[in-house]
Amino acid sequence: MSLLSKLLTLIENIFIYPTLRVWGLSILSILRFFSYKSESTKKYLYDNTLNDIPKKKGIFHPQNKEHIIRLIKVAHSNHATIRVVGSGHSVWEAIYAQNNNCIHIILGGDFKKIHSINISSDGNFALVNVGAGCHLGRDPNDRESSFENSFNFQVDQKGYALPILGGMSHQTIAGFLQTSSSGGSLEHGIADVLEEIEIINGKGETIILNKKTNEDKFNASVVSMGLFGVITRATFNLPKKYSVEGTEINKEFKDSLLVNDKGHYRKLHDALKNNEYFHMNWFPQKYVQRTSQWNGNLVSPELPKKPYKHLLKEKFMNVLAALALRISNLTEIIIGGNLAQRIIGLVLRTFIRIRKPVHFRDLWYKVLPNDDQADVDRLMKTSYTEIWFPLEKIDEVMGTLERLFRRKPSYAGTFAIELYGAKNSPYWMSPSYKRDVFRVNPYWWGRNLGDPYEFFEEFWKVLLPIDGARLHWGKYMPKPGEIYGEHIFGINYLRHCYPKLNNWLDIREEMDPDQIFVTNYWRRMFDIRKNI
């Protein structure tokens, strides 16, 4: 047990009073954050054989495949761990090596460029080959990243588009693929257009995997959390560009799609099925009880534009929203009980105002990642646990959540719960593998006092026992060994969830037999035994 784990256990046992306990957990969360090391181990930063590879803030920025192969060889000879950081959008444990013998890299140079765009004879499709370090949109944390050099902008300028994007587009191509990220759609998925990937494995071999000629290894490798190697290129077969037209509307719970009919959530189910793009933020707090619904459908890009404007597009509104979340968090900690719920309701309802529908129509890359307009990397930085369920489980999931909030109103937290879907995927380790899914994504504001693990724990307790539940690989997950219903979270639970897990682990062993990409976090998650 680590020192931090011991301290957390001590606080659980000593601090009987909730307020003192929350402050203690907050301090330890801060300590946990600062314990993560993004820098590579110093001896590699000063290694003469690696001097020509650019470095920034202790992270290597390989510019070409030869650089990556050399880094892999150095990691081999020193028994070091090597990890690709990307945009850093996932939880830290999932990204960084967390040991004192590591090499961290961010893909640069050739890996940030589009290499070719070959348009089909009829003009309806474009085969696009791109470096896996290219950002989908602009990454505000990367000074070299801009709208003009983003993947989305460049392909749009040529007249083509991805069929799906997440709520924000800061991620790199590889990062989006490796964690099975997805936008809110049961009709469109990234697997519709991904044709091929190039990966440099743990043996320093460059392997090209095509979805038709290497089907099994391709489907295993696309979602592999960086454990198979470094994805260096991806090839997409993109359709013509489009606009998305839709509405955003806030409603009282009683007037929303979440009202059930004798235990059936048909309106929500139908909204997920009948809109090409859909997501909803649910504010289930006792004295808020409102929803913010966003839906859109594909239309011609030639139609007149009506830009989407996020509530938090202006800096001032981000400051006000952060202030509201701070007040709500402190109120819950210091006051508690029904009075706290009333104050939280008063504060949050000022932001989720009932209003007429807001209509929008604009290009795909400006509308789908609508949270790009908010300050999600600073003032509104948010953590999540995202649980994916078979679509047919929607009644059981929503009923379970409503009962949880009636029984314990404080479990609703002080922010929203996002509800949306994802299309079935052929990728073995995708949470939507071979099934359309309904997703529940509780929000934890990054500046809250308290421990996000403790908050998410309440959702894991009631939702993970639902058969078919799977978790997003890049967001908060339970610690192996914790018990949820009849399951102990760990390798056997994951085998139950993912029918191809054993085959996936065999391919992982083939791709990286010396485990240079395996961190302690993923070792515990998949019970990967250390080589003797």
Side-chain angles (χ1 to χ4, degrees):
M1 182 182 287
S2 69
L3 178 59
L4 278 173
S5 298
K6 291 178 180 177
L7 287 171
L8 283 167
T9 303
L10 184 65
I11 282 178
E12 291 279 352
N13 294 331
I14 291 178
F15 289 152
I16 299 172
Y17 298 105
T19 301
L20 291 176
R21 187 160 161 272
V22 167
W23 282 97
L25 289 171
S26 299
I27 292 169
L28 288 179
S29 292
I30 293 170
L31 289 174
R32 184 190 290 123
F33 175 83
F34 283 107
S35 72
Y36 299 137
K37 296 179 179 179
S38 59
E39 299 86 0
S40 304
T41 304
K42 283 187 177 180
K43 73 174 183 178
Y44 303 118
L45 298 174
Y46 297 106
D47 188 322
N48 289 332
T49 66
L50 303 175
N51 274 347
D52 62 322
I53 303 177
K55 297 174 281 289
K56 297 176 186 176
K57 297 181 180 179
I59 298 177
F60 287 93
H61 288 246
Q63 307 290 294
N64 51 54
K65 288 193 286 185
E66 190 277 327
H67 283 174
I68 291 177
I69 292 168
R70 205 184 326 153
L71 286 164
I72 288 173
K73 287 180 179 178
V74 169
H76 262 296
S77 59
N78 290 274
H79 306 289
T81 306
I82 187 167
R83 294 292 292 173
V84 181
V85 174
S87 65
H89 187 59
S90 295
V91 295
W92 281 57
E93 297 96 328
I95 303 171
Y96 296 101
Q98 307 141 59
N99 63 39
N100 294 318
N101 187 19
C102 63
I103 296 172
H104 291 145
I105 69 175
I106 291 176
L107 299 179
D110 292 345
F111 304 118
K112 286 184 174 290
K113 299 175 183 177
I114 291 180
H115 299 299
S116 63
I117 299 178
N118 296 313
I119 298 172
S120 63
S121 57
D122 60 8
N124 289 330
F125 295 91
L127 201 64
V128 181
N129 184 274
V130 60
C134 186
H135 292 281
L136 291 167
R138 185 182 73 87
D139 181 0
N141 295 316
D142 183 348
R143 292 183 179 180
E144 297 178 0
S145 177
S146 67
F147 288 113
E148 290 73 21
N149 65 20
S150 71
F151 180 80
N152 295 339
F153 180 80
Q154 291 183 79
V155 297
D156 180 85
Q157 290 296 294
K158 294 293 185 180
Y160 298 89
L162 285 167
I164 193 73
L165 287 168
M168 58 190 75
S169 61
H170 307 167
Q171 309 100 316
T172 62
I173 297 285
F176 190 85
L177 298 175
Q178 288 280 272
T179 56
S180 193
S181 295
S182 177
S185 178
L186 294 177
E187 188 166 335
H188 305 288
I190 200 70
D192 300 342
V193 294
L194 182 64
E195 295 290 320
E196 189 173 274
I197 60 171
E198 178 184 84
I199 185 168
I200 302 178
N201 66 18
K203 295 176 281 190
E205 302 169 338
T206 299
I207 298 175
I208 295 174
L209 299 173
N210 184 280
K211 74 175 184 181
K212 294 176 181 176
T213 57
N214 315 98
E215 185 178 4
D216 278 356
K217 193 168 283 189
F218 176 84
N219 287 334
S221 300
V222 172
V223 180
S224 54
M225 293 71 78
L227 295 172
F228 283 21
V230 181
I231 292 184
T232 51
R233 283 192 309 107
T235 301
F236 298 96
N237 192 29
L238 299 183
K240 298 282 283 184
K241 66 189 285 185
Y242 56 92
S243 285
V244 174
E245 180 178 62
T247 59
E248 185 174 55
I249 185 170
N250 297 340
K251 291 187 176 184
E252 298 284 2
F253 181 88
K254 63 183 177 62
D255 301 318
S256 76
L257 299 174
L258 300 188
V259 174
N260 73 78
D261 178 16
K262 298 179 181 178
H264 298 292
Y265 293 79
R266 294 190 181 91
K267 291 181 180 179
L268 177 59
H269 178 276
D270 290 347
L272 290 163
K273 293 284 287 186
N274 297 334
N275 291 283
E276 289 183 84
Y277 305 99
F278 176 89
H279 60 85
M280 172 184 284
N281 280 335
W282 174 25
F283 295 83
Q285 296 79 12
K286 185 176 180 180
Y287 296 103
V288 182
Q289 290 294 314
R290 287 180 177 174
T291 66
S292 182
Q293 172 188 321
W294 188 104
N295 61 276
N297 289 286
L298 187 152
V299 295
S300 168
E302 304 303 323
L303 291 172
K305 305 294 188 291
K306 187 173 184 180
Y308 172 81
K309 184 178 180 181
H310 198 288
L311 174 65
L312 302 181
K313 184 174 183 178
E314 307 300 332
K315 180 75 172 180
F316 178 66
M317 292 302 295
N318 283 270
V319 172
L320 287 182
L323 179 61
L325 291 171
R326 171 62 74 217
I327 292 170
S328 299
N329 179 233
L330 290 176
T331 298
E332 186 178 52
I333 294 168
I334 297 171
I335 298 175
N338 196 60
L339 177 58
Q341 290 298 312
R342 287 184 178 277
I343 295 172
I344 290 168
L346 180 65
V347 171
L348 293 185
R349 283 171 76 92
T350 61
F351 272 88
I352 306 96
R353 295 178 180 274
I354 304 303
R355 57 180 180 171
K356 294 180 180 179
V358 176
H359 299 277
F360 56 84
R361 185 194 302 119
D362 210 342
L363 292 171
W364 61 285
Y365 73 96
K366 295 182 178 180
V367 173
L368 293 178
N370 58 320
D371 284 336
D372 277 354
Q373 296 185 21
D375 188 8
V376 293
D377 284 274
R378 295 176 181 85
L379 279 175
M380 297 305 295
K381 189 172 180 63
T382 304
S383 298
Y384 319 87
T385 187
E386 189 174 299
I387 313 174
W388 304 35
F389 304 90
L391 186 60
E392 61 269 20
K393 295 286 185 177
I394 193 169
D395 293 343
E396 184 177 357
V397 172
M398 290 301 301
T400 299
L401 287 172
E402 287 209 63
R403 288 191 295 273
L404 173 67
F405 300 142
R406 283 197 298 269
R407 177 169 58 86
K408 192 73 173 178
S410 63
Y411 288 171
T414 58
F415 207 169
I417 296 173
E418 188 174 22
L419 307 173
Y420 50 154
K423 185 180 180 179
N424 65 84
S425 169
Y427 306 140
W428 292 357
M429 296 300 285
S430 169
S432 62
Y433 175 62
K434 286 197 171 180
R435 67 192 191 182
D436 290 340
V437 297
F438 171 59
R439 297 148 69 191
V440 175
N441 189 19
Y443 291 179
W444 172 268
W445 186 45
R447 297 172 184 266
N448 274 345
L449 294 176
D451 186 0
Y453 273 107
E454 186 174 71
F455 175 67
F456 295 140
E457 182 81 15
E458 302 304 327
F459 292 91
W460 296 330
K461 284 178 182 176
V462 298
L463 294 179
L464 289 190
I466 295 174
D467 190 42
R470 297 171 180 166
L471 290 135
H472 190 298
W473 296 111
K475 301 183 180 181
Y476 275 86
M477 299 179 71
K479 294 179 175 64
E482 297 294 322
I483 299 174
Y484 301 98
E486 298 178 355
H487 298 288
I488 299 174
F489 186 78
I491 187 63
N492 290 328
Y493 174 82
L494 294 174
R495 285 194 178 103
H496 174 76
C497 295
Y498 295 93
K500 302 287 284 186
L501 177 56
N502 285 340
N503 306 85
W504 182 84
L505 287 170
D506 289 341
I507 295 176
R508 190 222 63 78
E509 173 67 20
E510 175 193 337
M511 297 284 271
D512 182 29
D514 294 323
Q515 304 179 5
I516 66 168
F517 296 109
V518 178
T519 66
N520 291 334
Y521 176 81
W522 294 114
R523 188 180 301 283
R524 289 191 295 268
M525 190 71 67
F526 294 116
D527 193 29
I528 300 171
R529 306 298 172 86
K530 287 188 177 182
N531 290 334
I532 299 174

